[in-house]
Amino acid sequence: MKILIPENSFVLILSEKLCEGESFAQKFFSESEIFSISDNKRDIMDFIAQRIEENLLTVICLPPDSLLLTQLLQIGKERYIKPVSFIFRYKNGCESSSINVQLSQVYSDFKSIKKTFKLFGYTFNYVFNSLKESKRINQVIRKPIETNKKYDTGPFDIIGDVHGCSDELNELLANLGYQLEAIPFDFINYGWKVHHNKGRKVIFLGDIVDRGPKIKEVLNLVMSMVLNGVAYCIAGNHDEKLLRYLKGRNVKVRYGLEQSVEQLKNESKEYKKRIIDFLDHLPFHLVMDDGKLIITHAGIKERMIGKLGDEVKEFCLYGGDPEGDNPIKVPRTRWNEEYHGKSLIVYGHLTVKEPVLLNNTIDIDTGCVIGNKLTALRYPEMEIKQNSSHTNVS
Ligand SMILES: [Mn+2]
């Protein structure tokens, strides 16, 4: 049996006899990734915490000790990562054990371990009741996580909230040196062939839909570029809400969603299915250029970078609490005032007159849809390119 785990997993292996978990770990992970609680150094918790922050796969073998487990789960929780757990619930015994005897004897009850998991809102992932059961696993595959695009070093042209401003987008792309060729429509190219002579790629910061006059046109161009590898796009709160609407969820049609609904109402089922599929696969943030560049729609906390999960998703979409579902309202606390990381964070969502730089973060949503301008940040050059809006729906 093969199992799939995210490449940055926080793996907890609990076994009555530590060697049981250790020998399982050694089969699937490298020595440098495995930490046994017998390495009972004072700073091991700090070390584990640091690895998690760096998104390094970390495997911890420990006895069923609730206190220790609580400490580890807390470290994970504070860093927005859910553990992948392997529970060995049998006592076959094994030859050598590096276990700290005191610890292993303190708790032997897996029931209390289960409770501890539950307190954090987790359940066990893999439970083995015999050696035979654990031997069924013969491969652990590391699944790349969708936020990890560290290998792509650019150069990029990062574009702020488009909101259906198709004319301005096409003009800006042309100004940035992209060749846009209109071709017959199909579900592969969506009517466009886009190319840049110097191999540059666009990154859309989300909120490509709602409010503006040409939402379908923007969707077609962005889908074409993303599906053909000329662009990346992350989800904004408006994209996510349109997705929920198209999926038939109960969504209030307001704050600009009415424009998307109106402009897409006569489209075919098949076309809408393609939009759903596209929006459904948008990541909520991206880690690019060896971790030097972070892309998010509304914001991100340093510890969230590279992590998945609902809390991270909400933060990336809204830059804080969702504030009801009013996407226009300014968040209560500005996350970037507290950001002191080395990576550059590029975001949009909060409309500003000119790009705003603060603590290595830059907001480039310059309100094209309300008559101001559409902004691109060239990376790594850090040059701004803009064009004036012909749209004003405010
Ligand atoms: Mn937004």
Side-chain angles (χ1 to χ4, degrees), residues 284-338:
F284 295 99
H285 73 279
L286 291 173
V287 183
M288 314 198 74
D289 191 16
D290 205 22
K292 293 198 276 279
L293 174 65
I294 310 300
I295 301 295
T296 176
H297 176 63
I300 194 161
K301 289 183 189 176
E302 198 176 355
R303 280 182 171 181
M304 292 176 166
I305 293 171
K307 303 296 190 293
L308 305 170
D310 290 346
E311 243 177 306
V312 179
K313 171 182 158 180
E314 288 295 299
F315 205 95
C316 291
L317 289 178
Y318 295 95
D321 301 325
E323 307 269 350
D325 63 351
N326 184 345
I328 298 153
K329 212 166 147 184
V330 179
R332 260 173 247 128
T333 44
R334 301 287 292 125
W335 59 274
N336 52 354
E337 284 167 14
E338 288 157 24

Side-chain angles (χ1 to χ4, degrees), residues 8 31 41 47 60-61 63-64 85 91 112 122 130-132 142 189 194 264 289 301 319 335 390:
N8 65 342
E31 209 60 54
K41 298 165 199 156
F47 191 67
I60 299 146
C61 300
S85 56
K91 300 181 197 175
S112 72
Y122 307 141
S130 69
L131 184 64
K132 206 175 149 196
R142 299 166 191 224
N189 295 301
V194 181
L264 296 173
D289 191 16
K301 289 183 189 176
W335 59 274
H390 327 303

Side-chain angles (χ1 to χ4, degrees), residues 116-290:
T116 309
F117 268 85
K118 213 176 156 189
L119 274 176
F120 282 84
Y122 307 141
T123 49
F124 292 162
N125 296 105
Y126 301 95
V127 181
F128 309 117
N129 290 303
S130 69
L131 184 64
K132 206 175 149 196
E133 270 184 36
S134 73
K135 284 204 164 156
R136 264 185 224 144
I137 292 182
N138 50 28
Q139 213 181 348
V140 175
I141 300 167
R142 299 166 191 224
K143 190 176 66 172
I145 54 169
E146 72 250 28
T147 53
N148 185 359
K149 302 285 176 214
K150 282 184 188 172
Y151 55 84
D152 198 340
T153 54
F156 303 118
D157 297 304
I158 310 165
I159 298 181
D161 307 32
V162 179
H163 280 306
C165 295
S166 169
D167 297 342
E168 293 88 338
L169 174 60
N170 291 21
E171 273 173 37
L172 182 62
L173 287 172
N175 290 343
L176 291 163
Y178 291 83
Q179 287 148 22
L180 279 72
E181 189 191 336
I183 57 171
F185 184 91
D186 58 37
F187 286 142
I188 297 163
N189 295 301
Y190 292 88
W192 289 102
K193 209 172 138 189
V194 181
H195 173 78
H196 196 289
N197 277 339
K198 289 182 179 154
R200 299 186 72 93
K201 286 181 198 168
V202 170
I203 303 173
F204 291 101
L205 288 180
D207 280 2
I208 57 174
V209 302
D210 286 7
R211 305 175 75 187
K214 292 184 179 175
I215 292 156
K216 193 184 114 185
E217 287 81 348
V218 170
L219 272 169
N220 284 339
L221 183 62
V222 174
M223 286 197 283
S224 174
M225 291 177 75
V226 171
L227 298 172
N228 289 296
V230 195
Y232 293 95
C233 183
I234 58 165
N237 52 309
H238 284 270
D239 311 308
E240 205 255 353
K241 202 172 162 193
L242 174 61
L243 171 65
R244 281 190 281 134
Y245 173 83
L246 292 173
K247 279 180 165 179
R249 306 271 163 81
N250 185 19
V251 174
K252 286 197 179 106
V253 181
R254 54 181 182 179
Y255 302 130
L257 178 59
E258 51 279 44
Q259 276 77 39
S260 295
V261 170
E262 173 65 26
Q263 291 169 38
L264 296 173
K265 72 175 179 197
N266 295 324
E267 295 302 326
S268 69
K269 240 186 167 171
E270 182 57 28
Y271 179 68
K272 283 183 189 161
K273 227 178 91 189
R274 302 293 174 134
I275 298 174
I276 291 174
D277 194 51
F278 176 76
L279 297 177
D280 221 357
H281 286 91
L282 295 180
F284 295 99
H285 73 279
L286 291 173
V287 183
M288 314 198 74
D289 191 16
D290 205 22

